[in-house]
Amino acid sequence: MVLKEIRAPIYNPRGKFQPKWSGPYIIKTILSGGATQLIDLDGNEFSTLFNLDQLKHYYP
């Protein structure tokens, strides 16, 4: 299980108190070059791929 970094520059009045990670997600596949395909806990797949540098381990 992993958490995904939120990198989108979204205006949020909460400023530095906004969450920096979303998830948890499950890694479905790891492709060459470090790209990963994620699914959420309900089994829904993301249509985009994410790099491994955007993820960190999640320990429940």
Side-chain angles (χ1 to χ4, degrees):
M1 296 180 85
V2 294
L3 295 175
K4 183 178 72 70
E5 184 178 17
I6 300 173
R7 290 189 174 181
I10 299 171
Y11 173 73
N12 190 344
R14 291 172 46 187
K16 67 180 181 179
F17 298 108
Q18 70 184 10
K20 303 211 181 337
W21 299 92
S22 66
Y25 303 109
I26 300 170
I27 296 177
K28 181 178 179 184
T29 56
I30 300 177
L31 305 172
S32 63
T36 60
Q37 187 174 18
L38 299 178
I39 58 174
D40 62 5
L41 297 178
D42 294 329
N44 301 321
E45 293 184 20
F46 284 93
S47 60
T48 58
L49 299 175
F50 301 98
N51 289 329
L52 285 172
D53 67 341
Q54 295 177 320
L55 307 174
K56 74 175 181 178
H57 288 281
Y58 173 72
Y59 303 99

